[in-house]
Amino acid sequence: MSEYKAPLRDMRFVLNEVFEVSSLWATLPGLAEVIDEETAAAILEEAGKITGEVIAPLNRNGDEQGCTWNNGEVIAPDGFVAAYQAFAEGGWVGVGGDPQFGGMGMPKAISAQVEEMVNSAGLSFGLYPMLTAGACLSINAHASEELKQRYLPNMYAGTWTGSMCLTEAHAGTDLGMIRTRAEPQADGSYKVSGSKIFITGGEHDLTENIIHLVLARLPDAPAGPKGISLFLVPKVLVNDDGSLGERNALSCGSIEHKMGIKASATCVMNFDGATGWIVDAPNKGLAAMFTMMNYERLGVGIQGLSLGERSYQNAVEYARDRLQSRAPTGAQNKDKAADPIIVHPDVRRMLLTMKALNEGGRAFSSYVALQLDTAKYSEDATTRNRAQELVSLLTPVAKAFLTDMGLETTLHGQMIFGGHGYIREWGQEQLVRDVRITQIYEGTNGIQSLDLVGRKIVGSGGALYRLFASEVRHFAANASAELGEFSKPLSAAVDVLDDLTAWVLDRAQNNPNEIGAASVEYLQTFGYVAYAYMWALMAKTAIGKQAEDDFYVSKLATARFYFARLLPRIHSLSASVKAGSECLYELDATQF
């Protein structure tokens, strides 16, 4: 596997040239004082160093060695403890955290780039700070001031980590079925009892304490999702003076043996009357937990992008070096026995597909991050509301489409390596194994698709869709003549998505099966159109600068490839949606 090099040039292009983030930050109170283009560049540069020099070298051994479980204790692979300490000491766990509790206070547009770098360097490693940052967000948004003061500073400092404990053996997506119980105590605390599975970072030796956010039911809770509360349950109890006390009544029963992310501890956690404190109000736990989950969903999408980027870096280096056969037009390197495989059309097709999807995904994840920043910091209520609605619409797309494309890009990278892509020491097969989980956890991509179509499209009567589509149409309609090769097919693509959206809204009125039948292909269509918008924005920025730097030549050529070879996928996806749900129900369950 080649050394990981953070794509800083492309990140700066997206942030500074395409979205001109410094102009936005200057208008947002809370950001204008802490971040500008120069500060952002310095942060990204340092993040590139620690991810490339400290985290990335651990990735292969972390996969080979994995985590180990012994009588309830979990040991991370060699080097992880020291790397996590270095990462925490640099302030990276709290890069987007509230400065009131020790975080850097950076906007999501910056922390998203840092997340990409961390996960490209090592997805297993990146899961520990990611879950911690998400837990901090939920605590900060919903917990009492006392809980915030007691737990957030050490979590942002990386001294303690966080986890979220949702899933039970019988209750995955359907959290209303959870059985974990919380009994109120006279001192205001609760005794939490039950078992949770698939808990990322539930136990490990990276930090001295782990703060679990646990979904549970109170004794008088109503049935279903309306009866779920959220509890903060530390691994080690914290004394009034902030020092660590005795071990809480919880334990790790085992860790999972997984297809990938083997250096990330995926735990079965048992709570045996563990002491915890309620976060937010009784029976409001699902809303509080979704604050964390929605943060994680964009983060998981970025994980898909991250592994696609790592796969591309490996594959393009290999394609330049690997000699096999001659170019179709004749020998390119006549002094060698064969030409490098990058001369072959199919290898170029795969490399350009990877490049187009990665760079489109980076722009899209940054676009969503900018909406999050606007929704959080803008003083104008209308602007905040519009940004929040866009976040609501686009979060399931970011989670599902970025990870679907992440799998595609890692598979292309593996194929470019040929037989070597199937061999462990070259690293490509690990990326394929690692990225697969991103389509599954934090709500499978099928669930994300149902959220998009059912809640966001049909649930809003198409209003949320029109909010995004009108922005894209406005851009295409006002594009210059020289941008026509991109703006015209973009406009046509929005026509396809408009028509498909109207079809789904109409059919869903009379047949509830149509929502589920249409959802996956609809989300994919939406994703390709959204990427087309991103590529048109990038092309607009690059046009006229080709003589300045080959970077812009590459950007325009990749944009043309995307519009010519990838965007047309929307037509077959649209046809699949319009085939309807009837063919899914011709077989009885016994006939499968």
Side-chain angles (χ1 to χ4, degrees), residues 503 507 513-514 517-518 575-584:
W503 188 93
R507 293 293 289 263
N513 282 333
E514 293 294 352
S576 293
V577 170
K578 291 184 177 180
S581 64
E582 290 81 2
C583 60
L584 302 181

Side-chain angles (χ1 to χ4, degrees), residues 157-237:
T159 307
W160 302 343
T161 54
S163 84
M164 63 175 180
C165 303
L166 286 71
T167 306
E168 299 178 8
H170 60 283
T173 299
D174 192 354
L175 290 171
M177 297 173 63
I178 67 168
R179 296 172 185 159
T180 299
R181 308 290 293 178
E183 299 284 344
Q185 304 298 299
D187 64 357
S189 67
Y190 294 80
K191 295 297 184 183
V192 178
S193 300
S195 292
K196 300 287 186 176
I197 65 170
F198 301 155
I199 308 306
T200 300
E203 177 59 37
H204 54 74
D205 61 341
L206 301 182
T207 57
E208 61 185 13
N209 205 0
I210 303 170
I211 312 306
H212 303 284
L213 294 184
V214 185
L215 290 183
R217 290 187 177 282
L218 294 168
D220 58 350
K226 293 183 179 180
I228 297 174
S229 300
L230 181 64
F231 299 87
L232 185 156
V233 184
K235 171 184 172 179
V236 182
L237 295 172

Side-chain angles (χ1 to χ4, degrees), residues 17-89:
E17 299 181 61
V18 177
F19 294 124
E20 299 180 335
V21 291
S22 57
S23 298
L24 173 65
W25 293 335
T27 68
L28 298 177
L31 288 182
E33 300 82 5
V34 299
I35 186 73
D36 54 26
E37 187 173 322
E38 184 178 344
T39 303
I43 290 171
L44 297 182
E45 188 76 30
E46 290 304 310
K49 290 178 182 177
I50 193 168
T51 53
E53 297 171 8
V54 177
I55 301 172
L58 302 176
N59 196 39
R60 175 144 186 261
N61 179 67
D63 180 65
E64 294 284 340
Q65 187 179 356
C67 292
T68 55
W69 179 92
N70 182 24
N71 195 29
E73 294 186 358
V74 176
I75 307 300
D78 294 342
F80 267 55
V81 171
Y84 196 86
Q85 289 175 349
F87 188 79
E89 288 170 2

Side-chain angles (χ1 to χ4, degrees), residues 378-456:
S378 177
E379 291 185 313
D380 181 71
T382 301
T383 301
R384 283 199 313 273
N385 184 63
R386 180 183 183 279
Q388 188 55 58
E389 289 183 335
L390 282 173
V391 169
S392 177
L393 174 72
L394 299 176
T395 293
V397 182
K399 193 280 182 184
F401 195 69
L402 281 163
T403 58
D404 283 346
M405 297 305 99
L407 179 63
E408 178 172 346
T409 53
T410 56
L411 288 172
H412 283 315
Q414 185 181 41
M415 186 64 75
I416 287 169
F417 274 73
H420 294 300
Y422 202 67
I423 304 301
R424 292 175 69 167
E425 57 262 33
W426 288 84
Q428 287 295 82
E429 61 87 35
Q430 180 190 343
L431 298 176
V432 174
R433 287 186 289 105
D434 283 354
V435 79
R436 191 65 176 96
I437 188 59
T438 65
Q439 298 172 293
I440 298 171
Y441 57 19
E442 295 305 329
T444 65
N445 286 359
I447 294 296
Q448 303 302 318
S449 301
L450 282 172
D451 179 40
L452 174 66
V453 178
R455 289 193 181 96
K456 310 303 170 53

Side-chain angles (χ1 to χ4, degrees), residues 553-574:
V553 175
S554 174
K555 193 63 68 175
L556 286 169
T558 310
R560 293 184 179 107
F561 174 85
Y562 181 84
F563 277 91
R565 298 296 294 263
L566 299 183
L567 183 58
R569 293 178 180 183
I570 65 174
H571 299 295
S572 62
L573 289 165
S574 179

